[in-house]
Amino acid sequence: MTGGYVYRGNAVPSARGRYFYGDYCTGMIWSLRISGGKAVDNRSESSRVSSLSSFGQAANGDLYAVSLEGRLYKLSN
């Protein structure tokens, strides 16, 4: 598993407050919310990132996924 960040950007309002993480082997990305100290609403996201190695977050809250294949992906609608 590849740990991620809580999305705090403005580009995707429906994703605000969700923690994004993924799997290097499958490229799948999931997100969840925390409520009452527990993970809730865990879901698989529609995007996949081949060779997912890391996540990054910009100062404005935008979220990025990084591939070992040299690509950078930005969370967007």
Side-chain angles (χ1 to χ4, degrees), residues 34-77:
I34 300 294
S35 179
K38 295 182 181 182
V40 297
D41 191 25
N42 191 38
R43 70 181 185 206
S44 176
E45 299 295 333
S46 59
S47 299
R48 288 184 182 232
V49 174
S50 180
S51 301
L52 175 66
S53 63
S54 186
F55 287 89
Q57 190 170 45
N60 67 357
D62 285 346
L63 185 65
Y64 297 87
V66 182
S67 168
L68 285 178
E69 295 172 351
R71 296 183 184 201
L72 180 67
Y73 300 87
K74 180 180 177 182
L75 178 68
S76 64
N77 280 332

Side-chain angles (χ1 to χ4, degrees), residues 3-29:
Y5 289 91
V6 174
Y7 180 70
R8 302 193 190 288
N10 294 315
V12 187
S14 62
R16 283 188 59 84
R18 297 191 70 84
Y19 175 76
F20 285 80
Y21 64 101
D23 178 46
Y24 169 81
C25 294
T26 65
M28 290 183 66
I29 295 176

